[in-house]
Amino acid sequence: MISAKKLTKTLIKNKVTFFSGVPDSILKNFSNYIDRFPKKKHVISVNEGSAVSLGIGYYLSTKKLPCIYLQNSGLSNAINPIISIANKTVYSIPLILMIGWRGSPNIKDEPQHLAKGEITPDLLKTLGIKFCILKKARDLKKFETLIKEARKKNSTVACLIEKGVIISEKRKRTKVKSNKSLIRFDFLKEFINQIPRNSKIISTTGYTSRELIELRKNSKRGKDFYMVGGMGHSSSVAIGYSLHSRKEVYCLDGDGSVLMHMGPLRTAGFLNRKNFKHIILNNNSHESVGGQITTASGINFMMLSKSLGYKNFLKISAKKDLKKTIKRFIKSNGPTLLEVKIDNGTIKNLSRPKNLLKIKKEFMINR
Ligand SMILES: Cc1ncc(C[n+]2csc(CCOP(=O)(O)OP(=O)(O)O)c2C)c(N)n1
């Protein structure tokens, strides 16, 4: 195990003082630790390609090495600027990647992480990125050697980090919630009570899908497709479905996921499907991986959705408005955006989707 403090100190000792990344559960102790830095030095980015690009911009203005942290699923988002800008055959810009290794061969993990976990080392090799695996504090020496090499050769280097390796000194304080606060589960419960029986739900990565599965134990209204991976793409899947279906299509999105790939919101507005209904569960954070902020609270979703071509916008901020606003939302002609302002908080012992092929098959019945 390696403490977040020690890892940060090692980077600083090697003159790496700029950090950008997308939160990940494996790296949460690290990203929470570096959150003490001012926002010029630690930028929580919307997607991994943007994090790499922020790092490239930082290098161009300072000639110093940036550190980019990400989950290995986000490596695919990052590859474009890594290979087409930073690569030594293009601009040869040095980057340090810290990668949370979900689905590593030694550790049990969710189905959506297995294939990516297995190919991650090969992917780095194919990209020509030298890497080490960090497990213990003594592995930091290897990492330091790689950082020095990145600086000398203007190359990209990486370290892979498995679940449970990075620890924090401080114990997490649990926030006390008031009875009045509106959480995701309150909304979902009322929502699946009201939706038409044959509607289709595409739900985003993390707690949203897991809470929906939990509710499905008692409700059969509608069918769900859980976006266990492909964070940020649930709206595109839902739009694609709505184009060739008369069913009501509901996309349950998170603010972090919407920000990750915001462009499809314009596709939704442009395609103007009556049956496309979009919900953003906005807690201004990446709650599923540690609660790091997303900055979504600064967005005026009403103005945004209007300018993107959505026909209707609704908002819920309090429990008392759930019933009537969900009713109006369901009755509306899409594309409609519903922003639900929620507090962080989930329920205990959440299940995870297991038999994904069965889920797909059931979703596709009565298309
Ligand atoms: C490409 C990619 N990057 C990072 C992650 C890790 N990840 C899983 S859930 C999540 C947070 C999603 O935030 P939000 O959409 O706001 O939903 P919340 O967790 O708050 O319910 C992140 C960053 C991922 N699954 N895929």
Side-chain angles (χ1 to χ4, degrees):
M1 281 184 289
I2 304 170
S3 81
K5 187 174 176 183
K6 191 167 173 68
L7 178 58
T8 311
K9 279 195 163 173
T10 304
L11 287 158
I12 290 174
K13 191 177 94 190
N14 284 276
K15 302 189 186 68
V16 178
T17 57
F18 176 82
F19 307 89
S20 182
V22 176
D24 161 46
S25 54
I26 291 182
L27 301 175
K28 73 172 175 225
N29 289 331
F30 172 71
S31 57
N32 285 341
Y33 185 83
I34 58 173
D35 224 22
R36 66 194 62 209
F37 298 142
K39 65 179 178 193
K40 268 173 81 173
K41 298 219 160 186
H42 176 211
V43 184
I44 300 177
S45 187
V46 291
N47 69 51
E48 293 79 359
S50 168
V52 165
S53 307
L54 285 162
I56 290 173
Y58 168 79
Y59 171 79
L60 292 174
S61 74
T62 61
K63 225 182 159 199
K64 290 184 188 162
L65 267 67
C67 171
I68 314 301
Y69 63 89
L70 62 150
Q71 181 182 103
N72 56 338
S73 60
L75 194 52
S76 317
N77 280 335
I79 284 176
N80 187 9
I82 290 177
I83 204 76
S84 301
I85 296 290
N87 186 264
K88 63 175 185 294
T89 61
V90 192
Y91 285 112
S92 199
I93 290 171
L95 300 167
I96 315 290
L97 307 180
M98 274 183 41
I99 305 172
W101 192 5
R102 295 297 302 260
S104 75
N106 316 316
I107 293 175
K108 207 169 166 255
D109 213 328
E110 304 306 311
Q112 68 272 20
H113 292 298
L114 302 182
K116 192 60 169 281
E118 195 182 329
I119 65 165
T120 295
D122 288 340
L123 207 51
L124 291 175
K125 278 179 211 151
T126 305
L127 293 166
I129 298 174
K130 281 199 181 173
F131 66 93
C132 63
I133 298 172
L134 293 188
K135 286 189 180 197
K136 304 207 164 91
R138 65 165 185 264
D139 297 328
L140 288 171
K141 279 270 159 275
K142 295 185 232 166
F143 192 31
E144 286 189 80
T145 308
L146 285 178
I147 296 172
K148 284 182 184 117
E149 181 171 329
R151 180 169 288 114
K152 202 165 142 205
K153 297 189 179 166
N154 284 335
S155 60
T156 300
V157 300
C159 65
L160 288 177
I161 301 174
E162 290 175 337
K163 221 187 253 182
V165 169
I166 303 186
I167 51 164
S168 80
E169 292 79 10
K170 271 199 216 145
R171 264 208 257 133
K172 235 179 108 187
R173 269 178 294 151
T174 40
K175 272 193 215 148
V176 187
K177 248 170 252 85
S178 82
N179 281 341
K180 279 197 186 146
S181 57
L182 170 62
I183 58 169
R184 197 189 292 100
F185 200 68
D186 300 323
F187 171 81
L188 292 177
K189 215 159 47 179
E190 184 57 42
F191 172 67
I192 63 162
N193 254 337
Q194 288 202 33
I195 52 168
R197 281 197 178 276
N198 56 1
S199 28
K200 302 285 179 176
I201 301 177
I202 320 289
S203 65
T204 190
T205 321
Y207 286 155
T208 299
S209 284
R210 294 180 62 194
E211 290 185 9
L212 191 56
I213 291 166
E214 215 52 47
L215 284 161
R216 283 310 185 189
K217 292 176 183 163
N218 301 313
S219 162
K220 300 272 175 280
R221 296 179 89 88
K223 280 273 174 279
D224 313 333
F225 186 75
Y226 310 107
M227 292 289 286
V228 290
M231 181 178 158
H233 293 298
S234 34
S235 59
S236 296
V237 172
I239 297 162
Y241 190 97
S242 74
L243 280 178
H244 299 277
S245 168
R246 288 179 186 197
K247 300 253 152 63
E248 289 293 290
V249 184
Y250 296 97
C251 172
L252 281 168
D253 232 332
D255 50 303
S257 300
V258 159
L259 279 166
M260 182 166 272
H261 297 295
M262 222 169 185
L265 272 66
R266 174 58 191 143
T267 311
F270 175 74
L271 290 173
N272 195 20
R273 297 294 298 168
K274 249 189 188 168
N275 58 344
F276 176 73
K277 313 272 169 72
H278 197 174
I279 297 145
I280 301 177
L281 294 160
N282 186 359
N283 52 6
N284 196 38
S285 69
H286 298 95
E287 190 187 358
S288 312
V289 290
Q292 306 84 345
I293 66 150
T294 61
T295 72
S297 65
I299 301 173
N300 183 329
F301 280 106
M302 182 182 74
M303 281 162 72
L304 182 74
S305 61
K306 283 261 149 76
S307 73
L308 290 169
Y310 280 65
K311 287 280 167 299
N312 290 294
F313 173 82
L314 293 159
K315 186 169 177 172
I316 300 176
S317 308
K319 262 187 189 169
K320 65 174 176 42
D321 299 329
L322 279 174
K323 240 190 187 97
K324 70 169 191 300
T325 311
I326 289 175
K327 198 169 175 187
R328 278 178 60 206
F329 174 63
I330 287 172
K331 280 195 168 158
S332 71
N333 275 334
T336 304
L337 184 67
L338 170 64
E339 181 189 8
V340 188
K341 294 279 265 183
I342 52 169
D343 287 322
N344 277 349
T346 184
I347 53 164
K348 283 189 186 141
N349 305 321
L350 282 176
S351 321
R352 291 177 186 273
K354 284 270 143 55
N355 192 341
L356 300 180
L357 292 178
K358 188 168 167 238
I359 288 168
K360 179 186 77 172
K361 200 171 160 194
E362 285 183 357
F363 183 80
M364 292 180 74
I365 295 172
N366 295 329
R367 277 167 285 144

PDB file of all heavy atoms in Angstrom, residues 40-56:
ATOM      1  N   LYS A  40      -5.652  26.178 -10.174  1.00  0.00           N
ATOM      2  CA  LYS A  40      -4.677  26.294 -11.268  1.00  0.00           C
ATOM      3  C   LYS A  40      -3.753  25.086 -11.298  1.00  0.00           C
ATOM      4  O   LYS A  40      -3.067  24.825 -12.275  1.00  0.00           O
ATOM      5  CB  LYS A  40      -3.815  27.545 -11.059  1.00  0.00           C
ATOM      6  CG  LYS A  40      -4.357  28.783 -11.760  1.00  0.00           C
ATOM      7  CD  LYS A  40      -3.571  30.005 -11.388  1.00  0.00           C
ATOM      8  CE  LYS A  40      -2.283  30.109 -12.202  1.00  0.00           C
ATOM      9  NZ  LYS A  40      -1.584  31.393 -11.950  1.00  0.00           N
ATOM     10  N   LYS A  41      -3.706  24.367 -10.171  1.00  0.00           N
ATOM     11  CA  LYS A  41      -2.766  23.229 -10.082  1.00  0.00           C
ATOM     12  C   LYS A  41      -3.455  21.883 -10.115  1.00  0.00           C
ATOM     13  O   LYS A  41      -2.831  20.852 -10.327  1.00  0.00           O
ATOM     14  CB  LYS A  41      -1.958  23.347  -8.783  1.00  0.00           C
ATOM     15  CG  LYS A  41      -1.132  24.601  -8.727  1.00  0.00           C
ATOM     16  CD  LYS A  41       0.184  24.329  -8.112  1.00  0.00           C
ATOM     17  CE  LYS A  41       1.167  25.424  -8.488  1.00  0.00           C
ATOM     18  NZ  LYS A  41       2.501  25.136  -8.032  1.00  0.00           N
ATOM     19  N   HIS A  42      -4.752  21.871  -9.818  1.00  0.00           N
ATOM     20  CA  HIS A  42      -5.502  20.614  -9.901  1.00  0.00           C
ATOM     21  C   HIS A  42      -6.836  20.869 -10.567  1.00  0.00           C
ATOM     22  O   HIS A  42      -7.723  21.490  -9.986  1.00  0.00           O
ATOM     23  CB  HIS A  42      -5.721  19.993  -8.516  1.00  0.00           C
ATOM     24  CG  HIS A  42      -6.559  18.754  -8.580  1.00  0.00           C
ATOM     25  ND1 HIS A  42      -7.382  18.364  -7.564  1.00  0.00           N
ATOM     26  CD2 HIS A  42      -6.720  17.832  -9.563  1.00  0.00           C
ATOM     27  CE1 HIS A  42      -8.014  17.249  -7.913  1.00  0.00           C
ATOM     28  NE2 HIS A  42      -7.637  16.915  -9.132  1.00  0.00           N
ATOM     29  N   VAL A  43      -6.960  20.364 -11.780  1.00  0.00           N
ATOM     30  CA  VAL A  43      -8.207  20.556 -12.529  1.00  0.00           C
ATOM     31  C   VAL A  43      -8.904  19.205 -12.668  1.00  0.00           C
ATOM     32  O   VAL A  43      -8.362  18.275 -13.282  1.00  0.00           O
ATOM     33  CB  VAL A  43      -7.941  21.118 -13.950  1.00  0.00           C
ATOM     34  CG1 VAL A  43      -9.266  21.406 -14.659  1.00  0.00           C
ATOM     35  CG2 VAL A  43      -7.069  22.362 -13.895  1.00  0.00           C
ATOM     36  N   ILE A  44     -10.105  19.087 -12.061  1.00  0.00           N
ATOM     37  CA  ILE A  44     -10.903  17.884 -12.287  1.00  0.00           C
ATOM     38  C   ILE A  44     -11.542  18.082 -13.650  1.00  0.00           C
ATOM     39  O   ILE A  44     -12.318  19.006 -13.861  1.00  0.00           O
ATOM     40  CB  ILE A  44     -11.976  17.693 -11.194  1.00  0.00           C
ATOM     41  CG1 ILE A  44     -11.292  17.556  -9.823  1.00  0.00           C
ATOM     42  CG2 ILE A  44     -12.835  16.458 -11.494  1.00  0.00           C
ATOM     43  CD1 ILE A  44     -12.268  17.433  -8.655  1.00  0.00           C
ATOM     44  N   SER A  45     -11.162  17.233 -14.571  1.00  0.00           N
ATOM     45  CA  SER A  45     -11.561  17.461 -15.955  1.00  0.00           C
ATOM     46  C   SER A  45     -12.856  16.731 -16.306  1.00  0.00           C
ATOM     47  O   SER A  45     -13.293  15.850 -15.575  1.00  0.00           O
ATOM     48  CB  SER A  45     -10.436  16.983 -16.863  1.00  0.00           C
ATOM     49  OG  SER A  45     -10.728  17.337 -18.180  1.00  0.00           O
ATOM     50  N   VAL A  46     -13.462  17.096 -17.438  1.00  0.00           N
ATOM     51  CA  VAL A  46     -14.732  16.455 -17.806  1.00  0.00           C
ATOM     52  C   VAL A  46     -14.529  15.092 -18.451  1.00  0.00           C
ATOM     53  O   VAL A  46     -15.371  14.207 -18.328  1.00  0.00           O
ATOM     54  CB  VAL A  46     -15.598  17.339 -18.729  1.00  0.00           C
ATOM     55  CG1 VAL A  46     -16.129  18.543 -17.989  1.00  0.00           C
ATOM     56  CG2 VAL A  46     -14.845  17.744 -19.987  1.00  0.00           C
ATOM     57  N   ASN A  47     -13.440  14.943 -19.187  1.00  0.00           N
ATOM     58  CA  ASN A  47     -13.124  13.610 -19.727  1.00  0.00           C
ATOM     59  C   ASN A  47     -11.614  13.464 -19.846  1.00  0.00           C
ATOM     60  O   ASN A  47     -10.869  14.448 -19.737  1.00  0.00           O
ATOM     61  CB  ASN A  47     -13.861  13.321 -21.050  1.00  0.00           C
ATOM     62  CG  ASN A  47     -13.371  14.171 -22.194  1.00  0.00           C
ATOM     63  OD1 ASN A  47     -12.173  14.252 -22.463  1.00  0.00           O
ATOM     64  ND2 ASN A  47     -14.288  14.819 -22.879  1.00  0.00           N
ATOM     65  N   GLU A  48     -11.172  12.242 -20.054  1.00  0.00           N
ATOM     66  CA  GLU A  48      -9.746  11.964 -19.971  1.00  0.00           C
ATOM     67  C   GLU A  48      -8.947  12.582 -21.119  1.00  0.00           C
ATOM     68  O   GLU A  48      -7.779  12.950 -20.949  1.00  0.00           O
ATOM     69  CB  GLU A  48      -9.510  10.456 -19.909  1.00  0.00           C
ATOM     70  CG  GLU A  48     -10.024   9.775 -18.631  1.00  0.00           C
ATOM     71  CD  GLU A  48     -11.536   9.507 -18.590  1.00  0.00           C
ATOM     72  OE1 GLU A  48     -12.237   9.868 -19.571  1.00  0.00           O
ATOM     73  OE2 GLU A  48     -12.004   8.943 -17.581  1.00  0.00           O
ATOM     74  N   GLY A  49      -9.589  12.725 -22.299  1.00  0.00           N
ATOM     75  CA  GLY A  49      -8.907  13.375 -23.426  1.00  0.00           C
ATOM     76  C   GLY A  49      -8.679  14.841 -23.117  1.00  0.00           C
ATOM     77  O   GLY A  49      -7.625  15.412 -23.425  1.00  0.00           O
ATOM     78  N   SER A  50      -9.652  15.432 -22.455  1.00  0.00           N
ATOM     79  CA  SER A  50      -9.529  16.833 -22.068  1.00  0.00           C
ATOM     80  C   SER A  50      -8.454  16.985 -20.984  1.00  0.00           C
ATOM     81  O   SER A  50      -7.685  17.951 -20.996  1.00  0.00           O
ATOM     82  CB  SER A  50     -10.886  17.327 -21.581  1.00  0.00           C
ATOM     83  OG  SER A  50     -10.752  18.559 -20.965  1.00  0.00           O
ATOM     84  N   ALA A  51      -8.394  16.021 -20.054  1.00  0.00           N
ATOM     85  CA  ALA A  51      -7.369  16.086 -19.000  1.00  0.00           C
ATOM     86  C   ALA A  51      -5.972  16.057 -19.624  1.00  0.00           C
ATOM     87  O   ALA A  51      -5.089  16.848 -19.264  1.00  0.00           O
ATOM     88  CB  ALA A  51      -7.543  14.919 -18.027  1.00  0.00           C
ATOM     89  N   VAL A  52      -5.770  15.141 -20.588  1.00  0.00           N
ATOM     90  CA  VAL A  52      -4.472  15.058 -21.274  1.00  0.00           C
ATOM     91  C   VAL A  52      -4.192  16.386 -21.986  1.00  0.00           C
ATOM     92  O   VAL A  52      -3.082  16.937 -21.919  1.00  0.00           O
ATOM     93  CB  VAL A  52      -4.471  13.884 -22.298  1.00  0.00           C
ATOM     94  CG1 VAL A  52      -3.304  13.987 -23.265  1.00  0.00           C
ATOM     95  CG2 VAL A  52      -4.444  12.539 -21.569  1.00  0.00           C
ATOM     96  N   SER A  53      -5.212  16.933 -22.638  1.00  0.00           N
ATOM     97  CA  SER A  53      -5.018  18.164 -23.412  1.00  0.00           C
ATOM     98  C   SER A  53      -4.728  19.366 -22.515  1.00  0.00           C
ATOM     99  O   SER A  53      -3.919  20.224 -22.865  1.00  0.00           O
ATOM    100  CB  SER A  53      -6.243  18.433 -24.289  1.00  0.00           C
ATOM    101  OG  SER A  53      -6.512  17.285 -25.066  1.00  0.00           O
ATOM    102  N   LEU A  54      -5.369  19.397 -21.344  1.00  0.00           N
ATOM    103  CA  LEU A  54      -5.043  20.456 -20.380  1.00  0.00           C
ATOM    104  C   LEU A  54      -3.565  20.341 -19.990  1.00  0.00           C
ATOM    105  O   LEU A  54      -2.857  21.343 -19.870  1.00  0.00           O
ATOM    106  CB  LEU A  54      -5.915  20.325 -19.125  1.00  0.00           C
ATOM    107  CG  LEU A  54      -7.376  20.767 -19.259  1.00  0.00           C
ATOM    108  CD1 LEU A  54      -8.223  20.197 -18.126  1.00  0.00           C
ATOM    109  CD2 LEU A  54      -7.475  22.286 -19.248  1.00  0.00           C
ATOM    110  N   GLY A  55      -3.133  19.094 -19.822  1.00  0.00           N
ATOM    111  CA  GLY A  55      -1.723  18.840 -19.482  1.00  0.00           C
ATOM    112  C   GLY A  55      -0.794  19.289 -20.605  1.00  0.00           C
ATOM    113  O   GLY A  55       0.272  19.861 -20.349  1.00  0.00           O
ATOM    114  N   ILE A  56      -1.207  19.065 -21.835  1.00  0.00           N
ATOM    115  CA  ILE A  56      -0.391  19.491 -22.982  1.00  0.00           C
ATOM    116  C   ILE A  56      -0.270  21.029 -22.985  1.00  0.00           C
ATOM    117  O   ILE A  56       0.814  21.588 -23.133  1.00  0.00           O
ATOM    118  CB  ILE A  56      -1.017  18.966 -24.309  1.00  0.00           C
ATOM    119  CG1 ILE A  56      -0.858  17.442 -24.393  1.00  0.00           C
ATOM    120  CG2 ILE A  56      -0.377  19.653 -25.520  1.00  0.00           C
ATOM    121  CD1 ILE A  56      -1.582  16.780 -25.565  1.00  0.00           C
TER     122      ILE A  56
END
